[in-house]
Amino acid sequence: MQEKEELILILDFYGQYNQLIARRVRECNVYCELVRYDISADEIKRRGAKGVIFTGGPASVYADGAPKCDPKIFELGIPVLGICYGMQMMTQTLGGEVKRADKREYGETEVALESSVLFDGFGDKNVCLMSHTDFVGDLPDGFRTIARTPSCPNAAIENAEKKFYGIQFHPEVNNTVNGTAIIDNFVKKVCGCSGLWKMSAFAKETVKALREKIGDGKALCALSGGVDSSVAAALLNEAIGENLTCIFVDHGLLRKNEGDEVEEIFGKRFKSKFIRVDAEERFLSKLAGVEDPEKKRKIIGEEFINVFEEEAKKIGSVDYLVQGTIYPDVVESGKGNGATIKSHHNVGGLPDHVDFREIVEPLRDLFKDEVRAVGRELGIPDKLVDRQPFPGPGLAIRVIGEVTKDKLDMLRDADLIFREELERDGVNREANQYFAALTNVRSVGVMGDYRTYDYMIALRCVTTVDFMTATFTRVPYDTLERVSARIVNEVKHVNRVVYDITGKPPATIEYE
Ligand code: XMP
């Protein structure tokens, strides 16, 4: 079965978890698209959707201008699942009543379930994330209650004959136990999707769509060697081949051998044009004498744009600028519908002065692990696809204080030893990010019969799900001992190694 024959449309009512709903549907191996809430019933029919999902949203159905769907959707004869605001909006549209509560219900709540196809496969109680103020009171004709909590009489409702379902809680978040199973039941048992769609289809479809969009146009991509820009470049390479030029600004702040690895893949194996700009000296001379972390970041960001612009100008005008923006970047930058958390260098950080018509962001709707899956489909080696997060300013923020070439070389060697030993012992499987940092502490040591006065390396290894909080990984002492011995023996001018046992918070993962 072709994936496009099995389309679920998710109508976006501006909830903060909307892309997460899309992601869950994809996890059920069903193709879906997030579309505007006011898409017409005719368009939904024309596209042959097998079902629609209404997302949550911040509005109350009673607010002026509260977003409403085309009511004809309920006459199409296709299944509907309304989540939170989506459920309330459906209830109101179909003649039921939404009530206003005095206070918000928020948190993980035990919900009593009745038998319904949505809850097939699990028991009569389920912990779910509730986050609402309004709630459904009187049900529209033909509906019955299928879940309740002490404070929410209609935590889920159904009209099984018409295949309309509403849930007040959020099945898309991890806090809701069996959440993905509820979505799976809806898309497969209610909508009848077979679940044959795979991430490989995303790669194929995206390549096709990019080819149609760009045609014979030219595209430019700033390749950092990180996962996101690499996968974006790989999609464009498949789509338009040599009409894509990748510019890889080697700022000399990369890990050991990293620049050569990027060149090996993109310069040799890909059809696209690849330019590696050796800008180490430029960056290091700008960084000379600078100790303040924020100043370092700023200099690197600005210099990156300068170098990129100079190279881009040599190429002349291009039609498209490719960026590896992924969905969490969009959210963090407040460019999606969620609240702003922090600005991110990937979004909107690239040149104003490069002459291009449009930005292409083929990974904008995907989460990191999905991006990795696409990368694998496109044949990018695991080593690159599984690469840990690496900050844009590179090793410059892992050399505490002033950055010099000698310090960077010391750090590169120590960092490689740490990574090699963790991987050798399999400790890397429990850790999500690990690296060495060169502190600006020098201390006295003794080697052979000599006094030394050398640098201290700090080892950082953390376990985390989302990188917003983290704990230090319990690396075995034996591993640490070997790392320490190798670093002081093999890296000149390092005579002390410490392991960082601070969580985030209060520390951050990086040192600067
Ligand atoms: P912190 O140090 O804030 O880092 O705990 C959280 C995660 O973000 C990465 N990081 C960056 N990534 N540009 C990036 O692309 C940056 O400037 C940057 N600073 C930190 C860091 O490696 C960790 O995974």
Side-chain angles (χ1 to χ4, degrees):
M1 176 142 332
Q2 267 299 305
E3 62 278 357
K4 285 288 164 129
E5 288 169 28
E6 299 213 326
L7 168 70
I8 296 288
L9 286 176
I10 302 172
L11 274 56
D12 183 356
F13 288 92
Y14 307 131
Q16 65 185 123
Y17 305 126
N18 292 354
Q19 284 292 353
L20 210 46
I21 301 175
R23 186 222 158 97
R24 297 287 175 240
V25 174
R26 293 195 291 266
E27 274 176 26
C28 302
N29 297 113
V30 172
Y31 179 74
C32 66
E33 281 178 29
L34 193 65
V35 293
R36 282 176 59 107
Y37 71 86
D38 55 0
I39 184 173
S40 70
D42 286 345
E43 178 64 9
I44 292 176
K45 189 168 171 200
R46 191 191 65 74
R47 301 205 52 191
K50 296 203 80 172
V52 298
I53 298 177
F54 301 153
T55 72
S60 159
V61 289
Y62 293 113
D64 282 346
K68 303 279 162 70
C69 71
D70 178 350
K72 292 209 195 83
I73 290 174
F74 299 105
E75 294 161 22
L76 290 174
I78 61 171
V80 175
L81 172 65
I83 297 174
C84 197
Y85 174 84
M87 170 204 200
Q88 296 163 6
M89 193 272 309
M90 172 170 74
T91 298
Q92 194 193 45
T93 310
L94 294 176
E97 195 198 10
V98 175
K99 295 207 161 130
R100 315 215 55 174
D102 298 333
K103 63 177 204 303
R104 185 162 173 242
E105 182 184 22
Y106 182 83
E108 290 158 28
T109 311
E110 189 171 88
V111 179
L113 306 178
E114 298 196 0
S115 148
S116 161
V117 64
L118 282 193
F119 309 135
D120 267 4
F122 41 102
D124 56 4
K125 287 196 172 59
N126 200 67
V127 172
C128 303
L129 182 80
M130 287 291 201
S131 174
H132 67 114
T133 309
D134 292 355
F135 62 96
V136 169
D138 297 335
L139 303 188
D141 285 347
F143 277 78
R144 73 180 182 102
T145 304
I146 53 170
R148 62 191 91 226
T149 74
S151 55
C152 182
N154 291 302
I157 59 174
E158 72 172 21
N159 178 337
E161 194 190 321
K162 296 214 151 142
K163 301 191 175 176
F164 298 157
Y165 294 82
I167 35 188
Q168 184 56 70
F169 52 86
H170 289 273
E172 67 275 23
V173 298
N174 281 330
N175 317 49
T176 295
V177 178
N178 293 313
T180 307
I182 295 174
I183 291 175
D184 193 77
N185 284 337
F186 176 72
V187 296
K188 295 193 184 140
K189 294 187 176 160
V190 180
C191 303
C193 295
S194 57
L196 293 176
W197 183 82
K198 292 214 166 54
M199 218 54 211
S200 53
F202 173 90
K204 242 175 33 213
E205 286 294 325
T206 307
V207 166
K208 193 165 146 238
L210 286 169
R211 201 173 281 147
E212 277 163 18
K213 182 185 170 96
I214 299 179
D216 290 332
K218 299 222 178 323
L220 186 63
C221 177
L223 193 65
S224 71
V227 181
D228 307 338
S229 64
S230 298
V231 176
L235 281 167
L236 268 294
N237 172 63
E238 286 286 318
I240 61 166
E242 56 190 26
N243 279 346
L244 169 71
T245 304
C246 294
I247 297 181
F248 171 48
V249 178
D250 184 348
H251 48 25
L253 306 167
L254 296 167
R255 285 166 291 197
K256 189 103 176 169
N257 305 329
E258 212 163 34
D260 294 343
E261 285 165 16
V262 171
E263 183 164 359
E264 174 65 32
I265 299 165
F266 293 93
K268 304 214 171 112
R269 287 203 229 157
F270 277 34
K271 288 171 275 180
S272 303
K273 298 191 185 96
F274 176 83
I275 299 170
R276 177 175 178 174
V277 191
D278 179 3
E280 182 183 38
E281 267 177 34
R282 271 180 81 154
F283 278 84
L284 291 188
S285 67
K286 290 261 167 176
L287 287 168
V290 182
E291 292 183 1
D292 180 70
E294 283 311 304
K295 276 199 194 128
K296 280 162 49 174
R297 278 175 187 271
K298 199 155 171 273
I299 289 170
I300 294 164
E302 281 172 5
E303 195 57 12
F304 180 86
I305 291 178
N306 291 340
V307 176
F308 185 79
E309 274 181 8
E310 283 171 27
E311 289 304 316
K313 276 193 190 128
K314 289 186 202 158
I315 298 170
S317 74
V318 291
D319 305 282
Y320 298 92
L321 183 71
V322 183
Q323 296 211 333
T325 317
I326 69 169
Y327 183 63
D329 302 336
V330 178
V331 176
E332 284 189 358
S333 302
K335 300 225 167 167
N337 300 316
T340 303
I341 299 165
K342 66 169 188 180
S343 70
H344 197 284
H345 82 291
N346 280 347
V347 181
L350 270 183
D352 289 335
H353 307 104
V354 176
D355 195 9
F356 61 90
R357 228 174 49 214
E358 210 183 306
I359 290 184
V360 192
E361 296 174 311
L363 306 172
R364 203 181 159 83
D365 292 339
L366 300 190
F367 290 80
K368 194 82 174 188
D369 55 330
E370 296 181 309
V371 172
R372 294 191 207 278
V374 173
R376 277 189 201 96
E377 288 297 332
L378 295 168
I380 302 182
D382 285 353
K383 196 168 177 191
L384 206 160
V385 165
D386 292 329
R387 191 166 269 182
Q388 300 174 20
F390 186 63
L395 297 182
I397 60 166
R398 294 182 182 169
V399 170
I400 300 176
E402 191 191 1
V403 181
T404 64
K405 171 106 170 72
D406 288 345
K407 286 181 176 180
L408 286 166
D409 285 340
M410 257 190 264
L411 175 56
R412 270 189 272 266
D413 289 340
D415 181 66
L416 183 65
I417 292 170
F418 186 39
R419 288 187 287 130
E420 276 174 359
E421 293 299 329
L422 287 188
E423 284 156 27
R424 194 172 95 161
D425 289 357
V427 182
N428 58 314
R429 285 195 288 274
E430 299 157 47
N432 303 94
Q433 194 171 6
Y434 42 95
F435 55 87
L438 182 69
T439 71
N440 49 3
V441 170
R442 291 177 76 188
S443 66
V444 175
V446 56
M447 259 197 175
D449 292 331
Y450 295 98
R451 175 187 188 272
T452 56
Y453 185 61
D454 278 328
Y455 284 98
M456 180 162 89
I457 282 280
L459 306 174
R460 186 82 167 129
C461 178
V462 294
T463 303
T464 172
V465 175
D466 54 11
F467 297 89
M468 308 293 270
T469 60
T471 52
F472 73 88
T473 309
R474 270 61 178 169
V475 179
Y477 282 173
D478 289 349
T479 310
L480 289 173
E481 186 177 16
R482 231 182 23 255
V483 174
S484 163
R486 274 195 64 193
I487 290 178
V488 290
N489 279 316
E490 295 173 35
V491 186
K492 238 176 151 187
H493 300 302
V494 174
N495 67 354
R496 201 176 284 265
V497 178
V498 295
Y499 183 56
D500 185 341
I501 52 168
T502 332
K504 173 184 178 179
T508 52
I509 296 174
E510 301 287 349
Y511 284 80
E512 290 193 336

